[in-house]
Amino acid sequence: MTLSLPPLADRRMVLATDLDGTFLGGTDDDRDQLYDWLRASRDTVGLVFVTGRDPQFIAELCGDGRVPWPEYVIGDVGTTIAEVRDSAIHPIEPLEKEISQAWGDLGHRVRDTLKDRSGLSLQQTEFRYRLSYDMDPDALDPQAKHEVEAMGADVLISDNRFFDVLPRGVSKGPSLIRLIAHLGLSPNSVLAAGDTLNDLSMLVAGTPAVAVGGSEEPLLDQLPQRPTIYRAEAIGAAGIVEAISAFDLHPDHLDA
């Protein structure tokens, strides 16, 4: 990544995007078109990944050169807030302090409570401030969510197959707002993009936002009707392009 780029606050717009189904969604041509435009416009367009994926996944994803590196990462469903420097992802300690404090010893307690619970299989990735389970909705014990919430954590179910346990009040939206304030960005210049229910909090955070084509129905059902929230027809990366044009966020936007 070029080291002489202006700070994000000085750029025309910032794309804050989910990965799976959104930035990584659509056809190869759609993705290449968006990625090439981002590289060519990097002095005026910033890039932030807002994802459930962890930093290691992002480093591997961007390491081969096809997917452009972001300047910042909100990962692990909002529990990681980090800066990208020299192709490495560095947590921003002041922004993560409240997240760490809110998590405390919840990980150990939740893990013990949900051990061998029907419908849930713990993912083995060692997240710092979250637990994630693969979920079988037909076998899920309905008490599991209530028990975790009673312990002081939040449960986020997305794509009807993921059961995430997060520190109370922490998710993609609040972490995005925290990063926007930290960087001195104008919320009106930030386009949030997503496609599943775990993107809801950032799509309603007050910035221009897009639910790309192919978004899951539970997300679309809960999205309010606002001028700042756009429902794209095009899938994945092409839906992002469609929204940039619809909001007129950049004078050199691509044709949708």
Side-chain angles (χ1 to χ4, degrees), residues 52-65:
R53 296 289 194 169
D54 62 281
Q56 181 178 346
F57 174 90
I58 294 167
E60 293 172 355
L61 174 71
C62 299
D64 67 3

Side-chain angles (χ1 to χ4, degrees), residues 57-188:
F57 174 90
I58 294 167
E60 293 172 355
L61 174 71
C62 299
D64 67 3
R66 182 184 179 193
V67 176
W69 279 95
E71 280 88 5
Y72 292 89
V73 168
I74 296 170
D76 299 317
V77 202
T79 61
T80 289
I81 308 176
E83 181 180 8
V84 177
R85 300 192 308 271
D86 301 324
S87 299
I89 299 169
H90 304 271
I92 304 173
E93 186 174 345
L95 298 186
E96 290 192 349
K97 183 177 180 180
E98 291 183 17
I99 296 171
S100 174
Q101 291 174 341
W103 187 240
D105 67 346
L106 276 171
H108 299 295
R109 294 193 286 132
V110 171
R111 190 180 284 109
D112 290 343
T113 298
L114 297 184
K115 184 179 180 182
D116 300 324
R117 190 63 61 96
S118 64
L120 294 174
S121 177
L122 180 66
Q123 296 179 9
Q124 295 307 306
T125 303
E126 289 295 330
F127 302 114
R128 294 178 301 148
Y129 308 128
R130 69 181 266 213
L131 291 174
S132 290
Y133 294 81
D134 295 314
M135 183 188 73
D136 179 350
D138 296 326
L140 179 65
D141 178 353
Q143 290 302 311
K145 182 176 185 291
H146 301 300
E147 291 177 19
V148 170
E149 290 174 340
M151 297 167 68
D154 286 341
V155 173
L156 180 60
I157 295 173
S158 61
D159 206 20
N160 205 34
R161 61 192 181 103
F162 298 120
F163 184 104
D164 287 309
V165 180
L166 307 171
R168 178 143 295 166
V170 176
S171 62
K172 290 183 176 184
S175 291
L176 177 59
I177 292 301
R178 185 174 288 150
L179 181 63
I180 286 172
H182 174 73
L183 297 175
L185 305 180
S186 167
N188 291 334

